[in-house]
Each structure stands twice: as structure tokens, then as C-alpha cells.
Amino acid sequence: MAARDARDGRGGRSKGFKVAGLALAGALLLGFAAAGWAYWHLNGNINSVDIEGALGDDRPARPATVPSASPVPTGALNILVLGSDSRSGEENRELGGGDSGGARSDTAMVVHLDAGRTAATVVSIPRDTLVDRPSCPLESGDSTREASNAMFNTAYELGGPVCAVKTVESFTGVRMDHYIEIDFSGFAKLVDALGGVTVTTDVDIDDDKSHLHLAAGTHHLDGTEALGLARTRYGLAGGSDLARIELQQNLVKALLEQIATTDLLTDPPRLYQVADAVTGSLTTDTGLDSLGELTGLGRSLGGLAADDVRTVTLPVDPAPWDPNRVVAREPEARDLWESLR
């Protein structure tokens, strides 16, 4: 039964993730190598949120760190990565983001980098997971209300990145060292800048909501089509979010393969296009809101190969009182989060 099995698999048999980290670093370093205006443009693209200042000390403890002589960061790291279903901006509306009534985190992954940055675990959190949502501070000075058995993605909808991070830390007990958010239009632009992405689907996809219609087989998708694949849900296994997560994980691997086969470092125009797409689509915490900080993260992934990346889905069961929602399956979920501390 799909809802009862955590999907657990290795990345493709290539050096895709390693090359992706190096390519990201190269793309961001372009700002230093090119004219000054390029640096300031790319650096100015990045939006940030002061999550550290908003949440203060009421958070899980940071793990102990071991001093290292390495010129790049090597400590263990947990990063909350969200794909936002933005409800504002003309481009996002055209891609299915809807009107300007709010925003949701339709894709959520906790990326754990082991100490030494030679292995990683990517945990996908189903958006329909029911959690106890804590009270979160708002920019207005007010706070959101606590809620029991709330859908996970309502945290972002009500309180933005700060509440998304606090909610994840609350139900996992794992501190998020960084936050990265990519929006609809930014993801599509990134795929287009890379020349598209090739994916294989085992089933036909016919989803009017994501505007995607594909026969089973191998397809080379442009940015809009790749975004549709990431959002596809209602054409899969009765609208299962778990089936969509599996598609998203396969799409990420395919995108890494595309980066690995695209020689960005010898193609400055495309390199700049990718760098512009990456930085222009991001919202980060203040610890990653500059080219230098993002470049450092990319360089630290230089020793990480695809075979060292494990992708899993949070173990869940259907909620006893609502078959359309899921709850974390214990003790498997607790053991998974414990392994990331």
C-alpha cells in the first residue's frame, strides 16, 4: 500500500549531484568574474527573511561542531527547502499560481548534509500531513494561533517562511540551519535556462489543474511542463500526494543529470542565465542571502556524488478520521528525524 511505504532510493548512477554543486558555485561565482554590474544584479536578486531573529532561542539546539581546517564548510547541515505555490505576480498566476489571495508550500523537503558533506538525505514531507502547528510570530507584531491536526502546508500560508521553519522544527525536533524557497516562475526559468529536462513517466498524466497532459514514456520538458509535472497530483493514484512526491523526487534527479551534462563552465552566456534564474527565484534566510554565502554552500557540495544522496518520504499512514489526510507513522518517523540530528 503506497501510503504505508516510505519511498527510499539512491540517486542516478552518475556524478550529477556533485556536478550540480560545482555548477551552482560556478554560476554564482560568475558575479565575481564578470563585470561589477553582474555581481550586483545577481546579488540583488536574492530575497531573504530573518528567521533567526524572528524565532530567537526557542528552537531545537544546534548539534556540536568539530573544528575543521577545510577552506569550505564541512559540518552537518539541515536545510528546509520549499517550493511555493505563490499567489502573487503575473508570471506565477499564468503558471497556475492563482489569484493574489495567499501562498502555500506545495513542496517541502528537509535536506540533511552529513558532516564532511559526502552524504545527504532528502526527506519529502507530504503537504497533507496533519501536525500540531505552533504559534508563530508575524511581521505585524501579532502571532498566529496554535492548532492541532492542521495541514502542514497551512503554516506557510498563515505565517510565511518563519512559521514554516518553526512548524518543521516543532514536529521533527530537528533544527533547520537554513531556509531556501523557490517559486513557480523561478523554477520554470531555471529549467528553461538549462535547455529543458528529460524525464520518464510510467503512467499517462492527464491533469487539467497542473495543465499537463503526457503519455507514459520519455519526454523532454520545458520549464512550464516540468513545473506542471512537479505540481501534478489529480491524475495520479486518485490524487495521492505521495505519488506526486515520487514524481518530484524523480524530477530532481533528472534535473541534476541535466546540469551534469550541460557544460556551464565553458558557456558564459548560459552560465549567467542559470545564475540569474537561480538567484532571481530564491528566498533564503539571512545566512544564505549573498552570492558569497551561496557559493560557499555550492563549493561544499563538491565531494557529494549522486550515489551518496538518499531520497525518502516521511513515513505516514492515512488519518483514522480523514482518509484524505495523513499522519506520521511512529516510531518510524521519530527514528528518521533522530537520524538527522
PDB file of all heavy atoms in Angstrom, residues 83-114:
ATOM      1  N   GLY A  83       9.058  24.634  -2.166  1.00  0.00           N
ATOM      2  CA  GLY A  83       8.586  25.125  -3.447  1.00  0.00           C
ATOM      3  C   GLY A  83       7.255  25.797  -3.178  1.00  0.00           C
ATOM      4  O   GLY A  83       6.318  25.151  -2.708  1.00  0.00           O
ATOM      5  N   SER A  84       7.177  27.107  -3.420  1.00  0.00           N
ATOM      6  CA  SER A  84       5.980  27.835  -3.008  1.00  0.00           C
ATOM      7  C   SER A  84       4.977  27.961  -4.143  1.00  0.00           C
ATOM      8  O   SER A  84       5.329  28.274  -5.276  1.00  0.00           O
ATOM      9  CB  SER A  84       6.347  29.229  -2.484  1.00  0.00           C
ATOM     10  OG  SER A  84       6.871  30.035  -3.522  1.00  0.00           O
ATOM     11  N   ASP A  85       3.729  27.699  -3.805  1.00  0.00           N
ATOM     12  CA  ASP A  85       2.598  27.908  -4.701  1.00  0.00           C
ATOM     13  C   ASP A  85       2.211  29.371  -4.536  1.00  0.00           C
ATOM     14  O   ASP A  85       1.267  29.713  -3.840  1.00  0.00           O
ATOM     15  CB  ASP A  85       1.454  26.981  -4.285  1.00  0.00           C
ATOM     16  CG  ASP A  85       0.215  27.175  -5.131  1.00  0.00           C
ATOM     17  OD1 ASP A  85       0.279  27.926  -6.123  1.00  0.00           O
ATOM     18  OD2 ASP A  85      -0.819  26.580  -4.799  1.00  0.00           O
ATOM     19  N   SER A  86       3.017  30.245  -5.153  1.00  0.00           N
ATOM     20  CA  SER A  86       2.816  31.682  -4.952  1.00  0.00           C
ATOM     21  C   SER A  86       1.511  32.136  -5.567  1.00  0.00           C
ATOM     22  O   SER A  86       1.129  31.714  -6.642  1.00  0.00           O
ATOM     23  CB  SER A  86       3.972  32.451  -5.576  1.00  0.00           C
ATOM     24  OG  SER A  86       3.775  33.837  -5.468  1.00  0.00           O
ATOM     25  N   ARG A  87       0.832  33.032  -4.870  1.00  0.00           N
ATOM     26  CA  ARG A  87      -0.434  33.567  -5.353  1.00  0.00           C
ATOM     27  C   ARG A  87      -0.314  35.009  -5.834  1.00  0.00           C
ATOM     28  O   ARG A  87      -1.308  35.690  -6.033  1.00  0.00           O
ATOM     29  CB  ARG A  87      -1.467  33.510  -4.235  1.00  0.00           C
ATOM     30  CG  ARG A  87      -1.725  32.107  -3.750  1.00  0.00           C
ATOM     31  CD  ARG A  87      -2.587  31.322  -4.712  1.00  0.00           C
ATOM     32  NE  ARG A  87      -2.498  29.902  -4.437  1.00  0.00           N
ATOM     33  CZ  ARG A  87      -3.163  28.984  -5.095  1.00  0.00           C
ATOM     34  NH1 ARG A  87      -3.949  29.308  -6.087  1.00  0.00           N
ATOM     35  NH2 ARG A  87      -3.044  27.721  -4.788  1.00  0.00           N
ATOM     36  N   SER A  88       0.908  35.483  -5.995  1.00  0.00           N
ATOM     37  CA  SER A  88       1.073  36.858  -6.447  1.00  0.00           C
ATOM     38  C   SER A  88       2.054  36.903  -7.602  1.00  0.00           C
ATOM     39  O   SER A  88       2.895  36.027  -7.759  1.00  0.00           O
ATOM     40  CB  SER A  88       1.584  37.751  -5.309  1.00  0.00           C
ATOM     41  OG  SER A  88       2.844  37.288  -4.852  1.00  0.00           O
ATOM     42  N   GLY A  89       1.960  37.910  -8.435  1.00  0.00           N
ATOM     43  CA  GLY A  89       2.841  38.049  -9.569  1.00  0.00           C
ATOM     44  C   GLY A  89       2.206  37.493 -10.826  1.00  0.00           C
ATOM     45  O   GLY A  89       1.654  36.389 -10.839  1.00  0.00           O
ATOM     46  N   GLU A  90       2.272  38.257 -11.905  1.00  0.00           N
ATOM     47  CA  GLU A  90       1.620  37.844 -13.150  1.00  0.00           C
ATOM     48  C   GLU A  90       2.171  36.526 -13.671  1.00  0.00           C
ATOM     49  O   GLU A  90       1.424  35.649 -14.108  1.00  0.00           O
ATOM     50  CB  GLU A  90       1.801  38.941 -14.200  1.00  0.00           C
ATOM     51  CG  GLU A  90       1.127  38.638 -15.530  1.00  0.00           C
ATOM     52  CD  GLU A  90       1.295  39.765 -16.531  1.00  0.00           C
ATOM     53  OE1 GLU A  90       1.751  40.855 -16.134  1.00  0.00           O
ATOM     54  OE2 GLU A  90       0.969  39.542 -17.712  1.00  0.00           O
ATOM     55  N   GLU A  91       3.520  36.368 -13.620  1.00  0.00           N
ATOM     56  CA  GLU A  91       4.115  35.137 -14.147  1.00  0.00           C
ATOM     57  C   GLU A  91       3.634  33.926 -13.371  1.00  0.00           C
ATOM     58  O   GLU A  91       3.307  32.889 -13.958  1.00  0.00           O
ATOM     59  CB  GLU A  91       5.637  35.232 -14.081  1.00  0.00           C
ATOM     60  CG  GLU A  91       6.243  36.195 -15.082  1.00  0.00           C
ATOM     61  CD  GLU A  91       7.744  36.274 -14.915  1.00  0.00           C
ATOM     62  OE1 GLU A  91       8.207  36.569 -13.802  1.00  0.00           O
ATOM     63  OE2 GLU A  91       8.445  36.039 -15.898  1.00  0.00           O
ATOM     64  N   ASN A  92       3.591  34.016 -12.050  1.00  0.00           N
ATOM     65  CA  ASN A  92       3.150  32.885 -11.243  1.00  0.00           C
ATOM     66  C   ASN A  92       1.680  32.562 -11.489  1.00  0.00           C
ATOM     67  O   ASN A  92       1.276  31.401 -11.490  1.00  0.00           O
ATOM     68  CB  ASN A  92       3.395  33.161  -9.760  1.00  0.00           C
ATOM     69  CG  ASN A  92       4.833  32.922  -9.368  1.00  0.00           C
ATOM     70  OD1 ASN A  92       5.484  32.041  -9.915  1.00  0.00           O
ATOM     71  ND2 ASN A  92       5.339  33.708  -8.441  1.00  0.00           N
ATOM     72  N   ARG A  93       0.854  33.584 -11.695  1.00  0.00           N
ATOM     73  CA  ARG A  93      -0.564  33.327 -11.979  1.00  0.00           C
ATOM     74  C   ARG A  93      -0.709  32.579 -13.299  1.00  0.00           C
ATOM     75  O   ARG A  93      -1.514  31.656 -13.416  1.00  0.00           O
ATOM     76  CB  ARG A  93      -1.347  34.639 -12.014  1.00  0.00           C
ATOM     77  CG  ARG A  93      -1.579  35.251 -10.641  1.00  0.00           C
ATOM     78  CD  ARG A  93      -2.684  36.303 -10.683  1.00  0.00           C
ATOM     79  NE  ARG A  93      -2.336  37.401 -11.570  1.00  0.00           N
ATOM     80  CZ  ARG A  93      -1.682  38.486 -11.187  1.00  0.00           C
ATOM     81  NH1 ARG A  93      -1.251  38.588  -9.942  1.00  0.00           N
ATOM     82  NH2 ARG A  93      -1.435  39.456 -12.041  1.00  0.00           N
ATOM     83  N   GLU A  94       0.067  32.957 -14.299  1.00  0.00           N
ATOM     84  CA  GLU A  94      -0.006  32.284 -15.590  1.00  0.00           C
ATOM     85  C   GLU A  94       0.435  30.826 -15.495  1.00  0.00           C
ATOM     86  O   GLU A  94       0.000  29.978 -16.279  1.00  0.00           O
ATOM     87  CB  GLU A  94       0.870  33.012 -16.607  1.00  0.00           C
ATOM     88  CG  GLU A  94       0.336  34.383 -17.008  1.00  0.00           C
ATOM     89  CD  GLU A  94       1.286  35.116 -17.949  1.00  0.00           C
ATOM     90  OE1 GLU A  94       2.407  34.597 -18.161  1.00  0.00           O
ATOM     91  OE2 GLU A  94       0.903  36.183 -18.456  1.00  0.00           O
ATOM     92  N   LEU A  95       1.285  30.513 -14.512  1.00  0.00           N
ATOM     93  CA  LEU A  95       1.775  29.151 -14.336  1.00  0.00           C
ATOM     94  C   LEU A  95       0.928  28.344 -13.363  1.00  0.00           C
ATOM     95  O   LEU A  95       1.297  27.247 -12.972  1.00  0.00           O
ATOM     96  CB  LEU A  95       3.222  29.184 -13.841  1.00  0.00           C
ATOM     97  CG  LEU A  95       4.242  29.697 -14.860  1.00  0.00           C
ATOM     98  CD1 LEU A  95       5.570  29.969 -14.190  1.00  0.00           C
ATOM     99  CD2 LEU A  95       4.409  28.708 -16.000  1.00  0.00           C
ATOM    100  N   GLY A  96      -0.216  28.894 -12.964  1.00  0.00           N
ATOM    101  CA  GLY A  96      -1.117  28.137 -12.105  1.00  0.00           C
ATOM    102  C   GLY A  96      -1.137  28.595 -10.676  1.00  0.00           C
ATOM    103  O   GLY A  96      -1.703  27.926  -9.815  1.00  0.00           O
ATOM    104  N   GLY A  97      -0.520  29.742 -10.378  1.00  0.00           N
ATOM    105  CA  GLY A  97      -0.457  30.204  -9.001  1.00  0.00           C
ATOM    106  C   GLY A  97      -1.747  30.789  -8.478  1.00  0.00           C
ATOM    107  O   GLY A  97      -1.882  31.029  -7.302  1.00  0.00           O
ATOM    108  N   GLY A  98      -2.712  31.057  -9.346  1.00  0.00           N
ATOM    109  CA  GLY A  98      -3.989  31.561  -8.875  1.00  0.00           C
ATOM    110  C   GLY A  98      -3.985  33.063  -8.703  1.00  0.00           C
ATOM    111  O   GLY A  98      -3.226  33.787  -9.323  1.00  0.00           O
ATOM    112  N   ASP A  99      -4.882  33.551  -7.861  1.00  0.00           N
ATOM    113  CA  ASP A  99      -5.000  34.988  -7.650  1.00  0.00           C
ATOM    114  C   ASP A  99      -4.062  35.438  -6.539  1.00  0.00           C
ATOM    115  O   ASP A  99      -3.157  34.741  -6.151  1.00  0.00           O
ATOM    116  CB  ASP A  99      -6.460  35.351  -7.344  1.00  0.00           C
ATOM    117  CG  ASP A  99      -6.984  34.596  -6.138  1.00  0.00           C
ATOM    118  OD1 ASP A  99      -6.168  34.266  -5.253  1.00  0.00           O
ATOM    119  OD2 ASP A  99      -8.209  34.348  -6.082  1.00  0.00           O
ATOM    120  N   SER A 100      -4.302  36.610  -6.020  1.00  0.00           N
ATOM    121  CA  SER A 100      -3.370  37.165  -5.033  1.00  0.00           C
ATOM    122  C   SER A 100      -3.828  36.912  -3.602  1.00  0.00           C
ATOM    123  O   SER A 100      -3.523  37.667  -2.701  1.00  0.00           O
ATOM    124  CB  SER A 100      -3.224  38.679  -5.265  1.00  0.00           C
ATOM    125  OG  SER A 100      -4.492  39.304  -5.180  1.00  0.00           O
ATOM    126  N   GLY A 101      -4.547  35.825  -3.387  1.00  0.00           N
ATOM    127  CA  GLY A 101      -5.145  35.595  -2.078  1.00  0.00           C
ATOM    128  C   GLY A 101      -4.290  34.895  -1.062  1.00  0.00           C
ATOM    129  O   GLY A 101      -4.735  34.600   0.019  1.00  0.00           O
ATOM    130  N   GLY A 102      -3.042  34.573  -1.338  1.00  0.00           N
ATOM    131  CA  GLY A 102      -2.217  33.885  -0.354  1.00  0.00           C
ATOM    132  C   GLY A 102      -1.177  33.027  -1.035  1.00  0.00           C
ATOM    133  O   GLY A 102      -1.002  33.071  -2.233  1.00  0.00           O
ATOM    134  N   ALA A 103      -0.475  32.211  -0.271  1.00  0.00           N
ATOM    135  CA  ALA A 103       0.548  31.341  -0.832  1.00  0.00           C
ATOM    136  C   ALA A 103       0.646  30.090   0.015  1.00  0.00           C
ATOM    137  O   ALA A 103       0.345  30.105   1.204  1.00  0.00           O
ATOM    138  CB  ALA A 103       1.892  32.068  -0.874  1.00  0.00           C
ATOM    139  N   ARG A 104       1.078  28.999  -0.612  1.00  0.00           N
ATOM    140  CA  ARG A 104       1.198  27.730   0.086  1.00  0.00           C
ATOM    141  C   ARG A 104       2.512  27.068  -0.272  1.00  0.00           C
ATOM    142  O   ARG A 104       3.081  27.324  -1.328  1.00  0.00           O
ATOM    143  CB  ARG A 104       0.025  26.806  -0.283  1.00  0.00           C
ATOM    144  CG  ARG A 104      -1.324  27.311   0.146  1.00  0.00           C
ATOM    145  CD  ARG A 104      -2.434  26.441  -0.405  1.00  0.00           C
ATOM    146  NE  ARG A 104      -2.439  26.447  -1.860  1.00  0.00           N
ATOM    147  CZ  ARG A 104      -3.404  25.880  -2.599  1.00  0.00           C
ATOM    148  NH1 ARG A 104      -4.416  25.272  -2.006  1.00  0.00           N
ATOM    149  NH2 ARG A 104      -3.356  25.932  -3.903  1.00  0.00           N
ATOM    150  N   SER A 105       2.993  26.208   0.607  1.00  0.00           N
ATOM    151  CA  SER A 105       4.211  25.442   0.331  1.00  0.00           C
ATOM    152  C   SER A 105       3.793  24.081  -0.194  1.00  0.00           C
ATOM    153  O   SER A 105       3.565  23.154   0.567  1.00  0.00           O
ATOM    154  CB  SER A 105       5.048  25.304   1.613  1.00  0.00           C
ATOM    155  OG  SER A 105       4.265  24.764   2.669  1.00  0.00           O
ATOM    156  N   ASP A 106       3.679  23.979  -1.509  1.00  0.00           N
ATOM    157  CA  ASP A 106       3.207  22.733  -2.106  1.00  0.00           C
ATOM    158  C   ASP A 106       4.283  21.654  -2.142  1.00  0.00           C
ATOM    159  O   ASP A 106       3.983  20.483  -2.343  1.00  0.00           O
ATOM    160  CB  ASP A 106       2.686  22.996  -3.524  1.00  0.00           C
ATOM    161  CG  ASP A 106       1.199  23.325  -3.520  1.00  0.00           C
ATOM    162  OD1 ASP A 106       0.653  23.524  -2.419  1.00  0.00           O
ATOM    163  OD2 ASP A 106       0.589  23.375  -4.596  1.00  0.00           O
ATOM    164  N   THR A 107       5.536  22.037  -2.005  1.00  0.00           N
ATOM    165  CA  THR A 107       6.639  21.079  -1.982  1.00  0.00           C
ATOM    166  C   THR A 107       7.526  21.404  -0.794  1.00  0.00           C
ATOM    167  O   THR A 107       7.939  22.552  -0.615  1.00  0.00           O
ATOM    168  CB  THR A 107       7.468  21.159  -3.277  1.00  0.00           C
ATOM    169  OG1 THR A 107       6.628  20.901  -4.397  1.00  0.00           O
ATOM    170  CG2 THR A 107       8.598  20.133  -3.251  1.00  0.00           C
ATOM    171  N   ALA A 108       7.807  20.410   0.034  1.00  0.00           N
ATOM    172  CA  ALA A 108       8.648  20.631   1.216  1.00  0.00           C
ATOM    173  C   ALA A 108       9.626  19.483   1.376  1.00  0.00           C
ATOM    174  O   ALA A 108       9.227  18.316   1.373  1.00  0.00           O
ATOM    175  CB  ALA A 108       7.786  20.769   2.471  1.00  0.00           C
ATOM    176  N   MET A 109      10.903  19.820   1.482  1.00  0.00           N
ATOM    177  CA  MET A 109      11.944  18.820   1.663  1.00  0.00           C
ATOM    178  C   MET A 109      12.914  19.293   2.729  1.00  0.00           C
ATOM    179  O   MET A 109      13.313  20.461   2.728  1.00  0.00           O
ATOM    180  CB  MET A 109      12.723  18.577   0.362  1.00  0.00           C
ATOM    181  CG  MET A 109      11.899  18.049  -0.795  1.00  0.00           C
ATOM    182  SD  MET A 109      12.915  17.853  -2.288  1.00  0.00           S
ATOM    183  CE  MET A 109      11.670  17.218  -3.435  1.00  0.00           C
ATOM    184  N   VAL A 110      13.294  18.402   3.631  1.00  0.00           N
ATOM    185  CA  VAL A 110      14.379  18.667   4.561  1.00  0.00           C
ATOM    186  C   VAL A 110      15.620  18.005   3.989  1.00  0.00           C
ATOM    187  O   VAL A 110      15.658  16.782   3.804  1.00  0.00           O
ATOM    188  CB  VAL A 110      14.079  18.111   5.968  1.00  0.00           C
ATOM    189  CG1 VAL A 110      15.308  18.250   6.868  1.00  0.00           C
ATOM    190  CG2 VAL A 110      12.894  18.848   6.585  1.00  0.00           C
ATOM    191  N   VAL A 111      16.622  18.815   3.647  1.00  0.00           N
ATOM    192  CA  VAL A 111      17.875  18.309   3.090  1.00  0.00           C
ATOM    193  C   VAL A 111      18.901  18.258   4.212  1.00  0.00           C
ATOM    194  O   VAL A 111      19.260  19.290   4.778  1.00  0.00           O
ATOM    195  CB  VAL A 111      18.378  19.213   1.950  1.00  0.00           C
ATOM    196  CG1 VAL A 111      19.718  18.690   1.406  1.00  0.00           C
ATOM    197  CG2 VAL A 111      17.344  19.287   0.831  1.00  0.00           C
ATOM    198  N   HIS A 112      19.358  17.053   4.532  1.00  0.00           N
ATOM    199  CA  HIS A 112      20.359  16.868   5.582  1.00  0.00           C
ATOM    200  C   HIS A 112      21.693  16.523   4.934  1.00  0.00           C
ATOM    201  O   HIS A 112      21.805  15.536   4.198  1.00  0.00           O
ATOM    202  CB  HIS A 112      19.953  15.740   6.529  1.00  0.00           C
ATOM    203  CG  HIS A 112      21.024  15.381   7.523  1.00  0.00           C
ATOM    204  ND1 HIS A 112      21.261  16.127   8.655  1.00  0.00           N
ATOM    205  CD2 HIS A 112      21.936  14.369   7.532  1.00  0.00           C
ATOM    206  CE1 HIS A 112      22.258  15.588   9.335  1.00  0.00           C
ATOM    207  NE2 HIS A 112      22.688  14.523   8.670  1.00  0.00           N
ATOM    208  N   LEU A 113      22.702  17.353   5.198  1.00  0.00           N
ATOM    209  CA  LEU A 113      24.063  17.084   4.738  1.00  0.00           C
ATOM    210  C   LEU A 113      24.865  16.546   5.915  1.00  0.00           C
ATOM    211  O   LEU A 113      24.953  17.197   6.965  1.00  0.00           O
ATOM    212  CB  LEU A 113      24.714  18.365   4.208  1.00  0.00           C
ATOM    213  CG  LEU A 113      23.981  19.069   3.058  1.00  0.00           C
ATOM    214  CD1 LEU A 113      24.661  20.396   2.730  1.00  0.00           C
ATOM    215  CD2 LEU A 113      23.921  18.183   1.829  1.00  0.00           C
ATOM    216  N   ASP A 114      25.431  15.353   5.748  1.00  0.00           N
ATOM    217  CA  ASP A 114      26.224  14.767   6.817  1.00  0.00           C
ATOM    218  C   ASP A 114      27.503  15.573   7.031  1.00  0.00           C
ATOM    219  O   ASP A 114      27.956  16.312   6.155  1.00  0.00           O
ATOM    220  CB  ASP A 114      26.607  13.324   6.470  1.00  0.00           C
ATOM    221  CG  ASP A 114      25.430  12.371   6.565  1.00  0.00           C
ATOM    222  OD1 ASP A 114      24.337  12.825   6.947  1.00  0.00           O
ATOM    223  OD2 ASP A 114      25.599  11.185   6.241  1.00  0.00           O
TER     224      ASP A 114
END
